[in-house]
Amino acid sequence: QVQLAESGGGLVEAGGSLRLSCAASGTFRRVNVLGWYRQGPGKQRELVATMSDARSKVYADSVKGRFTITRDYPKHTVDLQMNMLNPEDTAVYYCYAVLAAVGYRETFWGQGTQVTVSS
């Protein structure tokens, strides 16, 4: 099992920056994927950025060049540096983790942290 604790959300003006952090804890040997999804008002949850244990990164097109995901493997943490924020980035941001092995895959979610970007 994995517990995910997020921090760093808040209110920021358009053009500003925020940094989200997530720490994974629990009974596991390694976390295969750590990352972030978000759900804006009236929208479906969507991928923002993820990073695998092979250091492969995936970004949503809408955040490329503005957001940067980093991961501390020994500490099981993942951060999301968000720059040049705009009102369309307003959403609840969820930390996401995947544990996988042969014949096994399970996903875990944090409780979410609100990011609000004012125009």
Side-chain angles (χ1 to χ4, degrees):
Q1 293 296 314
V2 179
Q3 292 79 47
L4 300 171
E6 302 125 329
S7 62
L11 174 64
V12 65
E13 292 184 351
S17 299
L18 282 175
R19 188 177 184 88
L20 304 182
S21 296
C22 174
S25 61
T27 54
F28 56 84
R29 298 185 71 177
R30 70 176 190 181
V31 180
N32 299 88
V33 178
L34 271 176
W36 297 90
Y37 278 65
R38 68 185 181 186
Q39 187 166 13
K43 298 180 181 179
Q44 291 188 329
R45 191 173 296 189
E46 62 177 1
L47 179 146
V48 177
T50 63
M51 192 166 177
S52 74
D53 55 358
R55 292 171 167 75
S56 173
K57 300 180 182 182
V58 176
Y59 290 98
D61 287 343
S62 60
V63 307
K64 285 180 180 177
R66 300 188 298 123
F67 292 11
T68 302
I69 188 169
T70 55
R71 184 172 168 179
D72 186 319
Y73 288 86
K75 295 182 179 179
H76 304 300
T77 61
V78 62
D79 289 353
L80 185 68
Q81 178 65 42
M82 304 185 294
N83 299 327
M84 299 171 56
L85 285 160
N86 60 62
E88 289 69 41
D89 297 315
T90 294
V92 177
Y93 284 69
Y94 296 92
C95 186
Y96 164 84
V98 175
L99 271 61
V102 175
Y104 169 81
R105 177 182 174 92
E106 190 167 4
T107 60
F108 300 87
W109 297 93
Q111 292 194 343
T113 184
Q114 177 70 46
V115 171
T116 302
V117 184
S118 63
S119 57

